[in-house]
Amino acid sequence: MDIHIKPTVALVDEKVNITITELLPGEKVKITASMHFPWAASEKYESFAWFTADSKGQVDLSKQKPNYGTYDYIDSMGLIASLKKVSSAGENIASNLSIDNSIFIDFVCEYKEEKKCVKIERMIKLPLVKRQEITKEFKGELFYSEKSLRKTIILLGGSDGSRSGLSFLAGPLASRGFNVLVVGYFNEDGLPKKLEEIPLEYFEQVFSWVKENPLTYDDKIYIHGTSKGGELALLLSSKYNIISKVAVSAPHAYCFQALNGLMSGANVSSWSYKGKSLPFIPVDNDIFYEHQRECLEMNIPFGFTTTYKKSVEREKRKEEARIKIENAHADLLLIAGQKDNVWNTYEACLEIMENLKKNNYKYNYTLLDYEELGHSLPIPYVIPLSETLNVKMGKGSFTCGGTLKGNSHGQLDSWNKTLEFFMA
């Protein structure tokens, strides 16, 4: 038995090909993958799959579906996508995040009495990537290299306010030559504690810094926003013509009420401009509690999509809260999962596309929608999908939506097209 895995060293978002040769036709082979995160070594993840060798005595994961295992579709990355936690000491993998050390995955193949192991390295950034913290003008961090493409992407995160998770996007992007500026806008020292009336003028300092910094200076500014950060990215592009490209993963078409954690907070907007709270859609928590109760009775996972959908439908002045994206001067890439269970991003994106068409928007705009994609990270193969597909919450379970196969495919395809979008 011989194991062939290529490449054995790659960026974390790159695919690998796995083939097993020198088997007897029709014989069974088991492949097990195992890993832990460098910053949470006690949390162990594993996946496995059984295969039958073809007439040539080979198994090719890019062409064969497992007989059974932790995934059930054809995909050379199925073992990585289907990794699940098998042991834990209670460490939180969302704490102390670091992209400085690689993730290593062990693949063990068992065939009859034979057992062989191959270790692969998944780098979150290449060694050439440097980092610069910004604390005076705004809270942020620049990821860059000497092989810069002279293109700067501003990264905006979602409702948790954490910048650390965005480094998983920044590392691979900077490794490909982009200057990547991760910007914090709440929930850290010196910034608002809650996602409540965040002043858009704060980002004027960010734009000025990019324009004046010798590392990032260019006539064009790109933005990538995820979830609530997607709402913000679209809002900024509708206000500031300096932005020339916007990619948003799981965005919405409206400004919404302030957030206090996962639930709606004070009866004001998430955003403000020139000292005034921007028009917003109120979010009725009673809708969520009713939805949650129904899901618990039916023993199915719950989410927030129903809450947002009904809140928009009930609002009589929703046009005032709609983000006037037709005023932007940027190429737009919208990414939506039809099974998003955090909010109704697919319907929102269809509405955005309709408004752009109706207003004869003169810049390029594209919607990438995926039937079985939920509300997942915009980059593939970093955090196991098992961490978000179903999460215990109270007496029930919360889901971001979608299937293992659908999320894995949607993440990879949309990420590769995001790279193409910013490269062009």
Side-chain angles (χ1 to χ4, degrees), residues 56 59 62 72 179 223 301 318 339-340:
K56 296 180 180 178
V59 168
S62 68
D72 61 357
N179 297 315
I223 290 187
K318 66 180 183 179
K339 293 296 192 298
D340 192 317

Side-chain angles (χ1 to χ4, degrees), residues 182-241:
V182 177
V183 176
Y185 54 94
F186 81 104
N187 196 27
E188 59 178 288
D189 290 343
L191 295 176
K193 296 299 181 185
K194 301 175 184 177
L195 214 175
E196 180 178 306
E197 295 187 312
I198 305 299
L200 298 188
E201 291 89 339
Y202 169 76
F203 295 92
E204 294 175 7
Q205 303 172 68
V206 178
F207 302 149
S208 296
W209 187 90
V210 170
K211 284 290 187 181
E212 295 169 4
N213 190 292
L215 289 170
T216 59
Y217 175 77
D218 190 65
D219 291 333
K220 299 175 182 179
I221 290 177
Y222 301 163
I223 290 187
H224 184 287
T226 301
S227 190
K228 197 71 178 175
E231 176 187 332
L232 174 58
L234 293 177
L235 184 58
L236 288 172
S237 63
S238 74
K239 297 281 188 183
Y240 298 99
N241 295 338

Side-chain angles (χ1 to χ4, degrees), residues 34-35 96 118 127 170 240 302 316 372:
S34 60
M35 61 149 277
N96 304 312
V118 173
Y240 298 99
F302 56 84
K316 296 179 179 178
E372 295 298 327

